[in-house]
Amino acid sequence: MPTDTHVRHAVVMGAGMAGLAAARVLADSFEAVTVIERDTLPSASAPRAGVPQGHHVHGLLALGAEVFEGYFPGLRAELEQAGAPVWDWGEGLCAVLPNGIPPSTPMGMPIQTFSRPLLEHVLRQRVTALGPVTLRDGLTVTGPRTAAPGKITGVRVRDGGGEDEIAADLVVDASGRSSHLPQWLASLGLPHPRTTTVDAQVGYASRTYSYPEGQAPPSWMGVLHPLRAPDFHKGCYAIQIENNALHVTLHGANGTQLPHNDDFLSFAKSLRGPVADTIASLTPTSAVRRYARTVNRRIAYHRLARWPEGLIALGDSVCTFNPAYGQGMTVAALEARLLEQMLGNRRAGTPLDGQAFQKRLARVTASSWLMATTPDRAWEQSRLSWHVKAGNWFMNRLIDTVPHDPQLYTAFSGLFHMTAGPLTLADPRLLSRVLIGPRPGGRPRTTTA
């Protein structure tokens, strides 16, 4: 139980990844934490209406898995017991890159693959088991509760029984893409923050498969077939998940027509790599689900000259990424870590400095924003700035060299999984290999079965 009697109750809006991670951290500093969720939450691992992207392949990067394991000790083992496989990224991934497929390269980088509903279910159970935490689902937040200009003291809520107010010392907006925070700020007399969007018009189509009795799974654990402007409009992700299932997401950029049930396999056959041959003999266990809300969006709350006391925002309510890059859950974990640091560093008896939090959060998301939006901006051929062109040239050169260079592949994987920063590639030995490019006469591996 915290000793700071000035810090009593926190309200978290949203029971997604960002909200659950924030609630876990807040439970160490607040006497009570209430998580409010608009959906009626399932009692088991199952998709829910408020997370439509939950039907599609999700990836937890290595850094994110490390942070979540620190907050929820034994999480990886619990997920593995539920059937989520653990495998080495370099050995188990078939990366279908434009210039070839890197050979199997042990990296000592353990990866675990699962469905989004399974991970969310396990985390929800862990969080609600914490003494200070109460989860209230089927409840809609309708607006802020205020006691004075510039000070938020809770939220107003509505359910089937009517409207009510919940008092709080801190309100955390983790309500995702549907956040109404800009309207809240306007009601408090604050200007509308600047919003930046980058949209490569990427869409997804996904379904799951089971293996016939007696048929062994493929040799690979995951397939990564990325998009790349302007020539590679189609791609896919496929991973082995719990219940001995294969989860496949096909994607297309720049308005590419997505498949339905009847032409899912035909779309897969238009791709390089092993996915089409694999699913041709498998049994679909779901209908094809499509999703197209993949725009990158960043709201510049950190640039507002004034910020209400008693409020912070994080997760997709502030910065959303094209899910193709798999950064969202890991960034949510890093934002929770920032929240933990700032709560721990504040003086006893003082509230969290929300404005300072938003400024530091912008720095946490900055590199992930660049990693997602630089390649996505490349689809806007007529409006490319010189730095976007330079960034894409370098990244494409790197990816084209990776199939021929195991050491560079390992370095790139660390960058992708956020266990290493961009300065890793500033090592002259690695940088020179990128600038020189693929060795003449190099023969990349072309396919796996």
Side-chain angles (χ1 to χ4, degrees):
M1 186 69 67
T3 58
D4 183 357
T5 57
H6 292 277
V7 181
R8 299 182 297 276
H9 185 210
V11 165
V12 179
M13 299 160 47
M17 292 299 162
L20 293 173
R24 165 62 187 85
V25 167
L26 292 166
D28 290 338
S29 298
F30 284 72
E31 294 177 6
V33 179
T34 301
V35 180
I36 299 174
E37 172 53 50
R38 181 178 57 187
D39 280 353
T40 299
L41 296 170
S43 59
S45 171
R48 59 187 179 91
V51 189
Q53 69 271 35
H55 293 282
H56 306 275
V57 167
H58 274 62
L60 181 60
L61 304 183
L63 177 59
E66 179 183 317
V67 175
F68 273 118
E69 182 70 25
Y71 287 135
F72 303 97
L75 174 63
R76 174 168 286 175
E78 185 174 353
L79 289 168
E80 190 171 12
Q81 187 174 6
V86 178
W87 46 280
D88 183 86
W89 176 261
E91 291 183 308
L93 181 73
C94 174
V96 186
L97 304 178
N99 201 30
I101 297 177
S104 177
T105 305
M107 293 181 184
M109 184 183 291
I111 299 299
Q112 190 168 33
T113 44
F114 36 71
S115 67
R116 161 69 182 259
L118 174 63
L119 177 61
E120 189 175 286
H121 171 68
V122 171
L123 291 183
R124 193 162 61 237
Q125 286 186 313
R126 287 290 199 97
V127 169
T128 54
L130 300 172
V133 177
T134 300
L135 194 156
R136 298 182 61 182
D137 61 348
L139 199 61
T140 300
V141 176
T142 60
R145 179 180 185 265
T146 58
K151 182 176 177 62
I152 289 180
T153 59
V155 293
R156 292 182 282 108
V157 296
R158 182 184 66 243
D159 62 9
E163 296 196 0
D164 197 3
E165 292 187 348
I166 300 176
D169 302 280
L170 178 67
V171 173
V172 179
D173 183 3
S175 58
R177 291 175 181 262
S178 61
S179 170
H180 296 292
L181 185 53
Q183 291 86 343
W184 282 27
L185 298 178
S187 71
L188 297 173
L190 296 177
H192 196 290
R194 178 183 176 186
T195 300
T196 303
T197 60
V198 179
D199 189 1
Q201 297 183 330
V202 174
Y204 292 153
S206 300
R207 78 186 321 174
T208 54
Y209 292 85
S210 64
Y211 300 99
E213 186 174 352
Q215 179 173 327
S219 59
W220 46 264
M221 297 298 297
V223 172
L224 169 64
H225 187 316
L227 308 167
R228 188 163 92 182
D231 300 320
F232 296 91
H233 290 248
K234 295 181 179 181
C236 77
Y237 294 132
I239 54 173
Q240 297 189 45
I241 60 172
E242 70 273 10
N243 299 323
N244 196 32
L246 181 67
H247 198 180
V248 180
T249 292
L250 307 177
H251 49 234
N254 210 27
T256 299
Q257 183 65 37
L258 296 172
H260 293 275
N261 289 344
D262 296 337
D263 53 352
F264 194 84
L265 179 58
S266 297
F267 189 105
K269 287 180 177 179
S270 69
L271 305 173
R272 296 178 301 127
V275 168
D277 289 344
T278 299
I279 65 175
S281 61
L282 303 186
T283 303
T285 56
S286 74
V288 172
R289 300 278 188 161
R290 304 185 357 151
Y291 182 73
R293 293 182 63 192
T294 60
V295 60
N296 302 278
R297 185 195 66 179
R298 193 183 197 202
I299 305 178
Y301 293 126
H302 61 291
R303 297 195 181 280
L304 292 179
R306 292 183 294 126
W307 184 260
E309 182 181 339
L311 171 71
I312 63 171
L314 46 70
D316 283 358
S317 66
V318 180
C319 189
T320 63
F321 309 96
N322 180 347
Y325 304 106
Q327 300 178 110
M329 295 192 294
T330 296
V331 170
L334 298 179
E335 292 173 341
R337 188 168 69 181
L338 170 64
L339 178 58
E340 178 186 45
Q341 292 168 351
M342 293 192 66
L343 286 170
N345 291 338
R346 79 199 193 295
R347 290 186 301 171
T350 61
L352 179 69
D353 186 338
Q355 187 171 41
F357 177 84
Q358 300 306 144
K359 290 181 182 298
R360 292 184 60 180
L361 182 137
R363 294 196 289 271
V364 168
T365 61
S367 60
S368 295
W369 175 259
L370 285 175
M371 286 286 289
T373 58
T374 298
D376 277 7
R377 288 186 193 276
W379 295 101
E380 304 170 351
Q381 290 293 313
S382 61
R383 296 187 291 164
L384 292 186
S385 62
W386 70 267
H387 61 274
V388 171
K389 290 181 181 179
N392 275 297
W393 179 89
F394 182 84
M395 188 57 66
N396 292 344
R397 190 83 162 183
L398 169 62
I399 292 172
D400 286 344
T401 308
V402 154
H404 307 273
D405 192 323
Q407 187 176 358
L408 200 58
Y409 182 32
T410 299
F412 172 72
S413 296
L415 183 65
F416 181 84
H417 280 277
M418 300 174 69
T419 57
L423 289 180
T424 301
L425 297 177
D427 183 324
R429 293 168 296 181
L430 296 178
L431 182 61
S432 62
R433 290 157 134 165
V434 176
L435 296 177
I436 292 170
R439 295 189 301 271
R443 297 193 311 170
R445 196 167 64 159
T446 57
T447 188
T448 61

